[in-house]
Amino acid sequence: MDGMMKSETQGFASLVDRLRAGFLTGKTRDITWRREQLNNLKRFFDENEKEIFATLKQDLRKPDMEIYSSEYDFVRKDIDHALKHLSSWMRPEKVSTPLSLLPAKSEIVREPYGISLIISAWNYPIQLLLAPLVGAIAAGNGAVLKPSEMAPATERLIAEKIPDYLDNDLFAVITGGVETMTKLLEIRFDHIFYTGSSHVGKIIMAAAAKFLTPVVLELGGKNVAVVLADADLAVTARRIVWGKFNNAGQLCVSPDYILVERSVEEKLHQELKQAVSQFFGNDPQQSADYGRIIHHRHFDRLVGFLDGQKIAVGGEHDREDKYIAPTILSGSRFSDPVMQDEIFGPILPVIGFDDLDGALGEAARLPTPLALYCFTKDKAKGDHVFEKIPSGSASLNDVVVFMANRNLPFGGLQTSGMGAYHGQHSFEAFSHKRAKLSRGFGGDVSIRYPPYGEKTIGLLRKMV
Ligand code: NAD
């Protein structure tokens, strides 16, 4: 068995060696090659639209609208954006040169890292694997793609189809679970891009440290939506309910819980309840617009959170169908088990507060939000909330939609991750900024060389 494991690791190592040899041919430096790979990836979407929708339904029973907007169209638009801007992103960035170094030219050149290992989570199994790949290709890298084993239908589709579209000298798909990951992490990659839990994020970073491999970690956190008394509660409730129960709450930027000013707590509860029944009807299990929990282990963990809680909305569950109703808890406390870690499911605790700063202080002690939300008409109060809780991103009066703006970097902070991507930020995430200084042979002043005299230091002092 031990021998078998070793030989599998060796197999992965020779695969990465082969891809690195492909990288070292220099072909990825050519913009034509990058455009070709991006266009081929787009063709994967165009030619497999039906299969993509079917596999995502099989894995997560996602509604068509969510598949289209957050998986299918999301990555296609990312590809179009990269194709449109690629030549300007690739252009060396000119920077000024201090007088003391003239004549010279200074530039920052974006260099590909080499072969990246891209590991995806299961909740958006197409987007989270292929959106980073867009950045990897745009920046001229090769990659090993590791789809999530928790979304098996999508994993199969990726493994079967993607190799038909990409340059196999530079790209490969490896499937498998924790054992496969453990072996993969024994190998030196030039870059690792990981999306998943903070717990596994630490394992990835420790493995990368052995080789000093740079990492981007896209993790999760305890995202809070702070609702102040002056907010439009009907709009607030609709936006929160939409963001929370999208993909049955299995969304890394969904509001994990609500902190609401006590004076409007009751009214907010009424609006939340109304939004749930408006969106999903009296029996959300029958709604075509409501998803399912990925697997039974996660289902059991989520249902466990309901013990001893006051359920304001929902609470029903059906293990066989992996269904948990959109559920809202009232009178929750920071000490409740459901408040200790990211929920990542359709359970929304609501905590009322009288003292804003006290509540924000408690929220700031929880795992760092990937996304922080505040609802108020007073921008200054919103900024106050944003100052008190560190987070990967911050949105005023809406949830989740900031992700649709490719000009904004998407990434976490502290326990919710490091590094960011989307749009040009993806290109940057997969590029090393190489400093390049070019001089001629003229202007070779003798005072820079020993023996240094008194005059040299005097001159340096004057030069600033
Ligand atoms: P996970 O970290 O449990 O698993 C991700 C992958 O890591 C697995 O598919 C597996 O192959 C591998 N893995 C698991 N255990 C491992 C181990 N011990 N050693 C080596 N590899 C191991 O995450 P998940 O359950 O797929 O996703 C849920 C988490 O991902 C949530 O915390 C969520 O917030 C986060 N997430 C973050 C983003 C983001 O963009 N920041 C997006 C989606 C999900």
Side-chain angles (χ1 to χ4, degrees):
M1 182 67 193
D2 214 31
M4 216 165 91
M5 278 186 68
K6 256 203 187 109
S7 72
E8 206 174 353
T9 309
Q10 278 158 3
F12 292 155
S14 20
L15 169 72
V16 176
D17 282 348
R18 184 175 70 68
L19 300 182
R20 199 171 273 122
F23 176 75
L24 291 174
T25 61
K27 64 172 150 176
T28 76
R29 294 180 169 271
D30 185 354
I31 192 168
T32 315
W33 178 89
R34 298 185 194 187
R35 284 200 175 118
E36 205 174 86
Q37 300 308 307
L38 289 171
N39 278 314
N40 289 346
L41 188 59
K42 197 169 161 190
R43 219 159 38 74
F44 160 75
F45 282 89
D46 295 340
E47 293 173 4
N48 298 283
E49 181 174 342
K50 262 201 201 126
E51 290 87 341
I52 291 171
F53 275 65
T55 55
L56 291 168
K57 278 217 178 298
Q58 214 174 312
D59 284 331
L60 284 142
R61 201 181 176 280
K62 287 192 189 227
D64 285 346
M65 164 65 190
E66 287 180 23
I67 296 176
Y68 183 78
S69 60
S70 56
E71 305 259 22
Y72 186 83
D73 192 50
F74 188 96
V75 187
R76 274 180 100 261
K77 286 225 168 76
D78 229 23
I79 297 172
D80 285 338
H81 185 77
L83 283 166
K84 185 168 168 201
H85 297 285
L86 192 55
S87 64
S88 74
W89 295 346
M90 285 173 68
R91 208 168 295 139
E93 182 186 343
K94 288 199 173 69
V95 292
S96 64
T97 307
L99 204 63
S100 55
L101 294 180
L102 291 176
K105 194 168 110 180
S106 303
E107 292 168 314
I108 301 168
V109 183
R110 265 72 175 174
E111 292 279 328
Y113 282 111
I115 304 303
S116 182
L117 171 62
I118 301 178
I119 307 154
S120 164
W122 47 261
N123 56 333
Y124 289 80
I126 293 278
Q127 185 204 129
L128 298 177
L129 187 74
L130 300 185
L133 178 64
V134 174
I137 295 173
N141 298 269
V144 169
L145 299 176
K146 165 55 188 75
S148 173
E149 73 281 15
M150 301 293 174
T154 314
E155 181 195 41
R156 219 164 22 249
L157 178 79
I158 295 282
E160 276 171 22
K161 300 279 185 171
I162 284 290
D164 294 344
Y165 291 88
L166 298 178
D167 181 343
N168 291 320
D169 290 348
L170 270 304
F171 301 99
V173 179
I174 289 182
T175 57
V178 179
E179 244 180 56
T180 304
M181 276 288 297
T182 307
K183 287 173 212 156
L184 272 176
L185 292 173
E186 284 170 17
I187 296 163
R188 185 177 76 80
F189 284 87
D190 303 305
H191 182 261
I192 300 179
F193 190 107
Y194 170 78
T195 303
S197 64
S198 307
H199 167 69
V200 178
K202 289 177 194 166
I203 297 174
I204 304 285
M205 199 164 168
K210 280 189 302 209
F211 304 107
L212 295 176
T213 299
V215 292
V216 173
L217 300 177
E218 296 283 340
L219 314 175
K222 202 79 182 151
N223 306 327
V224 55
V226 180
V227 181
L228 302 184
D230 68 344
D232 180 324
L233 296 178
V235 176
T236 300
R238 278 200 296 276
R239 291 181 180 172
I240 290 179
V241 165
W242 171 79
K244 176 69 188 186
F245 299 113
N246 206 296
N247 203 25
Q250 301 162 112
L251 167 60
C252 56
V253 289
S254 76
D256 188 274
Y257 68 105
I258 294 177
L259 273 182
V260 57
E261 215 161 342
R262 189 89 62 197
S263 58
V264 293
E265 186 178 359
E266 204 39 57
K267 176 86 177 113
L268 180 68
H269 266 294
Q270 288 164 18
E271 297 289 356
L272 290 168
K273 189 173 182 174
Q274 195 176 335
V276 171
S277 78
Q278 250 175 20
F279 294 175
F280 307 113
N282 290 334
D283 182 5
Q285 194 166 7
Q286 306 308 322
S287 166
D289 295 324
Y290 190 66
R292 292 297 182 267
I293 304 305
I294 186 76
H295 51 61
H296 286 118
R297 193 162 36 86
H298 192 38
F299 175 94
D300 294 339
R301 174 184 163 270
L302 290 168
V303 169
F305 285 141
L306 301 178
D307 272 356
Q309 295 293 312
K310 201 168 156 205
I311 294 171
V313 175
E316 303 84 9
H317 44 89
D318 173 350
R319 194 170 193 275
E320 203 164 311
D321 192 21
K322 289 182 274 185
Y323 164 79
I324 300 177
T327 298
I328 298 171
L329 308 178
S330 64
S332 298
R333 284 164 312 203
F334 279 103
S335 55
D336 291 340
V338 73
M339 286 303 300
Q340 305 316 304
D341 230 324
E342 182 190 17
I343 298 168
F344 214 57
I347 299 171
L348 180 60
V350 179
I351 300 179
F353 67 83
D354 299 304
D355 163 22
L356 175 64
D357 281 356
L360 298 179
E362 295 269 9
R365 271 193 283 278
L366 293 173
T368 313
L370 178 61
L372 170 63
Y373 303 117
C374 181
F375 289 82
T376 173
K377 289 184 182 126
D378 185 338
K379 284 197 177 71
K381 278 191 185 160
D383 284 338
H384 176 76
V385 169
F386 296 155
E387 266 172 32
K388 294 283 178 185
I389 306 176
S391 67
S393 64
S395 304
L396 187 70
N397 298 331
D398 213 332
V399 299
V400 180
V401 294
F402 72 95
M403 287 185 66
N405 183 354
R406 284 185 173 73
N407 300 318
L408 291 172
F410 176 65
L413 176 74
Q414 299 165 358
T415 48
S416 54
M418 61 187 68
Y421 72 127
H422 287 183
Q424 186 170 3
H425 307 288
S426 297
F427 176 83
E428 296 289 340
F430 285 89
S431 298
H432 163 64
K433 282 187 197 162
R434 184 193 243 176
K436 186 174 168 199
L437 181 90
S438 311
R439 307 193 74 194
F441 293 101
D444 194 39
V445 286
S446 60
I447 57 160
R448 70 181 268 185
Y449 301 116
Y452 307 117
E454 280 296 308
K455 271 191 195 156
T456 315
I457 198 158
L459 200 67
L460 282 178
R461 281 187 206 280
K462 279 188 196 137
M463 282 178 93
V464 185

